[in-house]
Amino acid sequence: MKSPLLSLPGAVPAEGRDEGVAAHYGDLFREQRALADGKGLVDLSHRGVVTVTGDDRLSWLHLLLTQHVSELPAGRATEALILSANGHIEHALYLVDDGTTVWAHVEPGTQEALIAYLESMKFFYRVEVADRTDDVAVVHLPAGSIAAVPDGVVVRETAYGRDLFLPREDLADFAAGNAPAAGILAYEALRIEGHRPRLGFETDHRTIPHELGLIGSAVHLQKGCYRGQETVARVHNLGKPPRRLVFLHLDGSEVHLPAPGTPVRLAADGEEGRQLGFVTTSGRHHELGPIALALVKRNVPVDAALVAGGTAAAQETVVEP
């Protein structure tokens, strides 16, 4: 679904999973600085929007999600996962309940599979699941923003800012009144800086929550009865995850950023050394320069100098080994 904000001056379309919104509007670092200063907005209208209504919505979701939501207060934002039977991450939901409806935004293109799973689990519960992507757009306002939110718009507020579930027909007018718009590359650079993993970027078919530091933020350890719980409990109590998320400060003299999937090795071993992990996301930050997130083997020393492809990389611990 193509965003109307792609018609703004300087807009360059994003590619890949973020197709449909702007990668940037002509000045990546200016856009990042504006967001860091609490100004402007980010068009996330390509993300899927799913709602759950009905008297049993919270108690029902509590049985399916990794997060404790049975008594979720209205207006309190949270995030949650849906795992496979083996504990691997399948879906990530960023949600809030407005008192009558649970609103969640999810990765672009994943809403149909999510809804299919939710529908299969309804049984006798009084719930209705709906895909609202066609009529509701997600807009992000950075932390510190003083932008006024239109009446009736559901807001999901976190330490990183506010996510608005805005009627799609109002997107262009809202953006015009709350300029400047920032592209997805600016948003992603700040996400990398904040060590925040993203489904389909920091995850693959075998990722478990412990590897990404999601225990606590998206996985509640004092609740039961969700698919994959056995793996979560076993790794937490008896074992250690096979991989861990790291933040990389990349050599700023390199022209090209290492692409997702680029092998990570020990710098001492060079490009012919044994692969210890791979880059998941990379970006250019207005203050830190080129940065990235990567998944590496748990036993990689936390002080080891690394190389991502041909780019020197100093690691910063995100998940303790």
Side-chain angles (χ1 to χ4, degrees):
M1 187 175 297
K2 185 177 178 180
S3 171
L5 303 196
L6 284 171
S7 64
L8 293 178
V12 175
E15 299 177 345
R17 291 188 181 95
D18 290 320
E19 183 180 2
V21 296
H24 61 83
Y25 294 91
D27 192 335
L28 172 62
F29 293 152
R30 177 187 60 78
E31 294 164 31
Q32 283 186 37
R33 286 191 290 268
L35 294 178
D37 291 339
K39 300 175 182 176
L41 55 82
V42 182
D43 178 10
L44 300 180
S45 62
H46 61 318
R47 291 184 65 81
V49 177
V50 176
T51 59
V52 181
T53 56
D55 293 342
D56 296 335
R57 66 190 183 283
L58 291 177
S59 58
W60 176 68
L61 286 171
H62 186 77
L63 299 175
L64 305 178
L65 305 180
T66 57
Q67 188 58 274
H68 196 300
V69 297
S70 62
E71 300 172 0
L72 183 68
R76 179 179 296 176
T78 191
E79 57 187 86
L81 308 173
I82 290 178
L83 307 180
S84 72
N86 294 321
H88 301 135
I89 299 174
E90 291 190 344
H91 293 282
L93 295 80
Y94 301 87
L95 54 88
V96 65
D97 184 81
D98 68 1
T100 61
T101 303
V102 172
W103 293 79
H105 64 79
V106 299
E107 283 298 319
T110 66
Q111 65 270 19
E112 291 185 2
L114 171 61
I115 290 172
Y117 171 70
L118 294 177
E119 288 286 351
S120 74
M121 301 300 291
K122 285 172 65 172
F123 303 116
F124 56 84
Y125 289 94
R126 297 170 296 175
V127 294
E128 293 295 332
V129 182
D131 184 350
R132 300 293 304 276
T133 309
D134 286 346
D135 62 298
V136 176
V138 180
V139 175
H140 176 77
L141 299 176
S145 170
I146 59 173
V149 177
D151 292 341
V153 170
V154 176
V155 178
R156 180 180 177 274
E157 185 165 4
T158 71
Y160 303 105
R162 291 176 288 170
D163 296 335
L164 277 55
F165 293 88
L166 187 75
R168 191 170 288 274
E169 62 187 12
D170 296 339
L171 176 58
D173 288 343
F174 183 79
N178 294 279
I184 196 69
L185 291 182
Y187 181 81
E188 283 288 280
L190 299 180
R191 178 182 71 82
I192 297 170
E193 178 194 18
H195 305 168
R196 303 196 302 276
R198 182 177 170 189
L199 183 76
F201 288 71
E202 280 62 57
T203 67
D204 57 21
H205 67 283
R206 59 192 180 97
T207 304
I208 60 176
H210 314 68
E211 296 176 323
L212 305 183
L214 294 176
I215 303 299
S217 62
V219 179
H220 197 290
L221 293 176
Q222 265 59 61
K223 70 168 295 251
C225 298
Y226 61 87
R227 192 173 65 176
Q229 181 201 6
E230 294 82 0
T231 297
V232 170
R234 183 170 63 251
V235 173
H236 181 75
N237 294 317
L238 302 177
K240 298 178 186 289
R243 304 177 295 183
R244 60 185 181 88
L245 186 68
V246 297
F247 174 83
L248 300 179
H249 294 272
L250 302 172
D251 181 2
S253 64
E254 295 289 339
V255 175
H256 300 290
L257 291 170
T262 299
V264 173
R265 300 179 170 89
L266 290 176
D269 295 341
E271 293 187 50
E272 302 304 318
R274 181 169 60 97
Q275 182 172 343
L276 302 174
F278 58 93
V279 172
T280 58
T281 313
S282 59
R284 298 189 185 277
H285 192 276
H286 69 289
E287 291 181 339
L288 301 176
I291 56 177
L293 293 173
L295 274 175
V296 300
K297 294 181 182 295
R298 178 182 56 82
N299 58 3
V300 173
V302 296
D303 58 350
L306 304 175
V307 59
T311 303
Q315 64 169 309
E316 185 175 303
T317 301
V318 177
V319 176
E320 294 287 347

